[in-house]
Amino acid sequence: MTTIQDIPRPTNGDVVELILADHRLFESLLRELRDDTSDREAARQAFAELHVAHALSEESEVYPRLERKDAISDHEEEHGREEHAEGHEALLALLECVGTDTQKFEDALEELATAVNHHLAEEETSILNPARSEVSEADRRALGERWLAARNEKLAQGCASVEQVRAIVKKAYGEDLLPADDEE
Ligand SMILES: [Fe+2]
Ligand SMILES: [Fe+2]
């Protein structure tokens, strides 16, 4: 069983390796969420906090610096932000499920898994690969430290209540990261 407290909070490392370690944790939390003998409530909360802290800190600390170093393009940065918004919208639907033993929960979970797995694959290919080849090891370590500081601060404060995720999704609509006609 994985709870919010079990989420590792290292303070330094290579940003590429650190992000990959969280991606593995997303995958194992999704597997825990599918398992109806696991504590789905605890796994749902842990997934939500990790997803928001991870993604928003990539947007504030990692993407802009990779873009400034010409490792990724404007378009890749924007596309990453759009996929985070899709992930947050799918996460909101999961958080809004009252029970964790319903068909509604399992449908919301599969939508979330589809959105997140797609993003992990794309980010690892189009963002982490150039970060490996175009950015020095020293800069990757400096980025790792900045990203972890932001991520760990969000985890410490709590960043993924239903209200907080609703506000994140609303802001994403306001920034045109999600298609306008989908807003409820
Ligand atoms: Fe990521
Ligand atoms: Fe991401």
Side-chain angles (χ1 to χ4, degrees), residues 132-146:
R132 277 189 190 97
S133 56
E134 319 278 320
V135 179
S136 72
E137 194 185 329
D139 285 348
R140 290 201 308 272
R141 293 193 67 86
L143 259 181
E145 219 168 290
R146 295 188 76 111

Side-chain angles (χ1 to χ4, degrees), residues 49-175:
E49 295 289 332
L50 184 64
H51 190 278
V52 171
H54 177 106
L56 296 188
S57 303
E58 284 178 344
E59 291 180 17
S60 67
E61 309 303 322
V62 181
Y63 289 1
R65 285 182 178 78
L66 291 179
E67 205 260 308
R68 237 170 286 147
K69 289 177 191 298
D70 287 329
I72 62 171
S73 66
D74 257 12
H75 172 77
E76 280 155 344
E77 177 174 14
E78 181 76 0
H79 189 64
R81 284 159 47 83
E82 285 167 1
E83 291 191 351
H84 288 168
E86 286 163 17
H88 285 131
E89 189 173 45
L91 174 63
L92 179 60
L94 188 76
L95 292 172
E96 285 176 337
C97 292
V98 178
T100 58
D101 58 351
T102 60
Q103 189 60 45
K104 189 178 169 198
F105 179 91
E106 287 179 0
D107 291 346
L109 176 61
E110 272 330 291
E111 278 220 22
L112 176 63
T114 302
V116 169
N117 286 327
H118 171 84
H119 175 64
L120 300 187
E122 196 155 312
E123 185 170 83
E124 288 173 21
T125 308
S126 68
I127 294 182
L128 298 188
N129 274 334
R132 277 189 190 97
S133 56
E134 319 278 320
V135 179
S136 72
E137 194 185 329
D139 285 348
R140 290 201 308 272
R141 293 193 67 86
L143 259 181
E145 219 168 290
R146 295 188 76 111
W147 177 70
L148 283 171
R151 167 193 180 273
N152 294 350
E153 171 79 17
K154 285 183 171 56
L155 289 175
Q157 287 180 348
C159 58
S161 67
V162 184
E163 294 72 28
Q164 286 170 315
V165 176
R166 203 171 281 138
I168 290 165
V169 171
K170 191 165 187 241
K171 184 162 175 268
Y173 274 107
E175 293 172 352

